[in-house]
C-alpha cells in the first residue's frame, strides 16, 4: 500500500478532476476509493503491455552479477537505500550495483552520488537497447514507496531477472492471483532495505537456485481486466 506522502499526493491529484478513474489493480482501486468522492466511478483495467515483445529479448547467456536500480533517481524511489546497499554489499559479494537510466545523461548530483557509493551508471538510448541489456542482468532491486511491481518489474521478470521488492506493492492482486508467495521476492519491516532478501537472492542466482517468479505464470495478470 502507499506510504508516507503517497495517499495525500495521489488524492490531491484526483480530487474534483475526474468523473471516472481507471486503476491497474483491485487493491489500488479499493485504497483510493476509501477516501474518494462518492460521485467517482472506478474501473479496474489491469496494466496493459506487450509481454511477448519484451520477452523476445530473453536469451540463454549467463547472467551478469549485477543489481539494477531501474527507477528514476527520486527520493520516493529510495535511491539513498540503493547507495547504502552498494556500499555494504558491492565489494563483499562481487556484485556490481547499476543505476539504469534512459535518454539524457544524469545530472552531476546523480553522478557524484553514484561515484561515492560505487554505483555504475548505464544510459540507454532506446527501449530495445534497454531490454537487450537488462536481459543479462541477474537482479533488479526496488525500494519504491509506490508502484512497486509495476511495469519496471514486469519487464525485468519477462526478461528472466530475479527481483527483490518491498511488501508495500501498489498492485499485489496481480501476483497473488498468479499464486506467488510473498516470500518469493518481497521483504518487510524486519528487513527494511531488503538486504537479507538481496543476499539470499544473490546466493540463489550464483548457485542456480530456482527463480521464484516464472514469467509465463504472471504475464497474463497484466493484460486486460484484473477480474478476467
Amino acid at each position: 500500500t502507499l506510504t508516507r506522502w503517497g495517499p495525500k499526493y495521489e488524492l490531491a491529484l484526483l480530487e474534483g478532476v475526474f468523473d471516472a478513474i481507471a486503476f491497474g489493480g483491485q487493491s489500488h482501486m479499493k485504497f483510493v476509493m476509501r477516501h474518494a468522492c462518492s460521485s467517482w466511478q472506478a474501473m479496474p483495467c489491469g496494466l496493459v503491455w506487450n509481454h511477448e515483445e519484451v520477452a523476445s529479448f530473453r536469451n540463454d547467456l549467463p547472467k551478469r552479477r549485477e543489481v539494477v536500480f531501474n527507477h528514476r533517481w527520486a527520493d520516493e524511489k529510495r535511491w539513498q537505500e540503493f547507495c547504502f546497499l552498494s556500499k555494504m554489499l558491492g565489494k563483499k559479494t562481487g556484485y556490481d550495483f547499476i543505476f539504469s537510466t534512459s535518454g539524457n545523461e544524469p545530472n552531476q548530483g546523480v553522478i557524484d552520488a553514484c561515484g561515492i557509493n560505487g554505483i555504475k551508471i548505464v544510459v540507454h538510448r532506446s527501449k530495445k537497447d534497454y531490454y537487450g541489456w537488462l536481459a543479462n542482468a541477474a537482479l533488479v532491486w526496488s525500494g519504491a514507496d509506490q508502484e512497486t511491481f509495476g511495469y519496471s518489474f514486469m519487464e525485468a521478470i519477462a526478461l528472466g531477472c530475479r527481483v527483490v521488492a518491498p511488501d508495500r506493492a501498489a498492485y499485489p492482486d496481480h501476483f497473488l492471483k498468479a499464486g506467488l508467495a510473498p516470500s518469493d521476492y518481497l521483504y518487510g519491516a524486519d528487513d527494511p532495505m531488503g538486504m537479507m532478501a538481496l543476499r539470499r537472492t544473490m546466493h540463489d542466482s550464483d548457485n542456480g537456485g530456482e527463480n521464484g517468479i516464472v514469467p509465463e505464470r504472471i504475464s497474463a495478470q497484466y493484460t486486460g481486466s484484473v477480474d478476467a
Side-chain angles (χ1 to χ4, degrees), residues 166-182:
D167 61 3
R168 52 182 173 268
Y171 305 112
D173 36 303
H174 291 292
F175 53 78
L176 291 177
K177 284 182 66 175
L180 300 172

Side-chain angles (χ1 to χ4, degrees), residues 4 55 59 73 77 98 106 110 116 145 152 159 174 186 205:
R4 302 195 306 181
N59 58 64
W73 198 263
K77 303 301 182 183
I98 311 289
V110 173
I116 292 171
D145 282 345
S152 62
L159 293 168
H174 291 292
L186 300 183
S205 180

